Amino acid sequence: MSNIKAWKLMSLFCLFAVLMGCQSKEEQLQQTIQESLKKADVELTQLGTALDNGTLRNAVLLKEYGSLLKQQQPELSKVVDVITLDATKQGALYSGLTQRLKDLKGTYLIPPYEDTLHSIDLLREAAKPTLFTDALTDPINMLADMSKGSLARIGAISQQAEGAGEGNQLVGNPNYGNWQTNSNGISFWQWYGMYRILGDVFDRVEYGRWSSRRKYSYYNDYGRYRYSSPKQIKTQSALETRTRQSYQRQGKQFTSPYASKKTGASGLSRSSYTPPKSRSSYSRSSSYSNSSGSVRNSGSRTSRGVSRGK
């Protein structure tokens, strides 16, 4: 009997040791997450300070483009003011990062922890000044497309070389709006809040047409996983699947807006060409892993200067 009792005690001890080991690992993961969140908080604050101090090159250029365009076309002043907000902490791009950090702080104790760590990694990458500077090329190029050719696109092929069609670089970016599906099952782009004024300048965009004819934008071709939350990526995937199924029922061909990178990007940082960091276990457990509306007045050429010319 004593041997049986000893065996039972040993078994209980081993089970307790295993449970303690699992708990210890969980605690370590939580600690790692907390440390990563603190780093993300510091890095995002530093990015905000850089915006406040005017030390981000493309933030300065965005303001300069805005000032020049308002002089040329005063009737667009209100629209320009909304777009140039991205040169500040009040812009949708920076605000989107701060909201994601807030959400992560509120849910970091909820498993799976590998997913949370991956989300923090992507957020920290997005907060890097080099990557954020690249992301600002989209609002800059919106202003360039509105300038009737007097301001040049940057970090992208010229509008003239890209050809006629949709050129709204912020369409599809959930920091500025979302896709709304009507009773007929057709999805149209809707701008958020103050960005609704952009509808006065850019034509209404239908998802299926935009998907097959989408032009280059930094967000859609390089920055989507870094500048979207997991929930936003899942929403995009669900809409893509739903639209593809609808097209198939109608015997129509559907082309994913993310099927391939659009050509024309130039002058971006090396970081933008580097795929986002990934975690092997995350890619197996989540869909959040690697895998624009037309402007009425346009016609600029690529140049590194503010104004068109040689």
Side-chain angles (χ1 to χ4, degrees):
M1 293 293 293
S2 59
N3 289 336
I4 295 176
K5 289 182 179 179
W7 178 83
K8 287 184 177 179
L9 288 173
M10 184 62 70
S11 298
L12 289 172
F13 176 78
C14 290
L15 179 60
F16 180 75
V18 169
L19 292 175
M20 286 298 293
C22 292
Q23 183 181 9
S24 201
K25 182 179 178 181
E26 181 175 306
E27 290 175 348
Q28 289 175 0
L29 280 170
Q30 291 178 358
Q31 183 177 356
T32 300
I33 290 173
Q34 288 177 319
E35 292 173 353
S36 295
L37 284 172
K38 289 178 182 178
K39 291 177 181 178
D41 205 343
V42 170
E43 291 161 356
L44 197 53
T45 298
Q46 291 174 340
L47 177 62
T49 299
L51 287 171
D52 288 339
N53 295 340
T55 56
L56 288 186
R57 175 175 52 84
N58 279 353
V60 174
L61 187 59
L62 178 57
K63 290 180 179 180
E64 188 175 349
Y65 266 44
S67 178
L68 290 171
L69 187 55
K70 286 198 292 185
Q71 292 176 24
Q72 297 167 9
Q73 302 182 59
E75 69 279 9
L76 294 177
S77 293
K78 291 183 179 180
V79 175
V80 171
D81 287 341
V82 168
I83 296 174
T84 54
L85 274 177
D86 271 327
T88 71
K89 291 190 297 186
Q90 287 70 49
L93 200 60
Y94 184 84
S95 297
L97 297 181
T98 58
Q99 183 60 51
R100 281 167 59 190
L101 180 59
K102 180 180 178 180
D103 292 342
L104 285 166
K105 287 181 177 179
T107 59
Y108 78 93
L109 291 177
I110 302 175
Y113 300 115
E114 286 286 343
D115 290 20
T116 301
L117 284 170
H118 182 70
S119 296
I120 298 172
D121 282 346
L122 292 175
L123 176 61
R124 292 181 63 191
E125 286 187 29
K128 290 180 179 178
T130 52
L131 282 165
F132 195 85
T133 293
D134 286 347
L136 289 176
T137 58
D138 279 344
I140 288 173
N141 290 333
M142 279 188 72
L143 297 182
D145 288 355
M146 293 164 62
S147 71
K148 299 180 180 179
S150 64
L151 301 173
R153 285 184 180 182
I154 66 167
I157 193 172
S158 69
Q159 189 176 25
Q160 181 177 349
E162 190 174 43
E166 297 160 348
N168 191 335
Q169 290 80 3
L170 300 186
V171 168
N173 189 327
N175 292 296
Y176 305 92
N178 63 4
W179 297 101
Q180 294 287 332
T181 304
N182 63 20
S183 57
N184 295 321
I186 301 174
S187 299
F188 292 90
W189 182 253
Q190 299 290 332
W191 299 100
Y192 286 139
M194 61 185 172
Y195 290 95
R196 291 183 185 278
I197 196 172
L198 299 184
D200 296 337
V201 179
F202 298 95
D203 294 330
R204 197 179 188 195
V205 182
E206 187 268 318
Y207 180 77
R209 182 175 182 273
W210 171 82
S211 179
S212 63
R213 303 183 182 184
R214 181 179 69 77
K215 300 298 183 179
Y216 168 81
S217 72
Y218 177 82
Y219 171 80
N220 289 302
D221 289 299
Y222 289 94
R224 191 161 70 99
Y225 287 99
R226 292 182 175 106
Y227 290 95
S228 304
S229 69
K231 183 178 179 180
Q232 289 167 341
I233 291 291
K234 289 179 181 179
T235 298
Q236 291 173 350
S237 298
L239 175 60
E240 182 180 340
T241 299
R242 190 165 62 248
T243 306
R244 179 180 287 105
Q245 293 172 344
S246 175
Y247 270 50
Q248 289 175 343
R249 288 193 296 269
Q250 300 174 56
K252 296 161 57 178
Q253 184 178 0
F254 173 78
T255 301
S256 168
Y258 316 112
S260 61
K261 284 186 172 64
K262 305 301 179 182
T263 59
S266 62
L268 300 177
S269 68
R270 182 175 297 179
S271 297
S272 284
Y273 296 107
T274 304
K277 294 178 182 178
S278 63
R279 297 177 183 273
S280 57
S281 62
Y282 188 91
S283 63
R284 291 193 300 268
S285 63
S286 172
S287 62
Y288 186 49
S289 60
N290 274 332
S291 20
S292 334
S294 61
V295 181
R296 297 188 177 99
N297 296 318
S298 59
S300 65
R301 297 186 64 85
T302 300
S303 168
R304 293 188 181 278
V306 173
S307 300
R308 178 180 177 179
K310 298 181 180 179

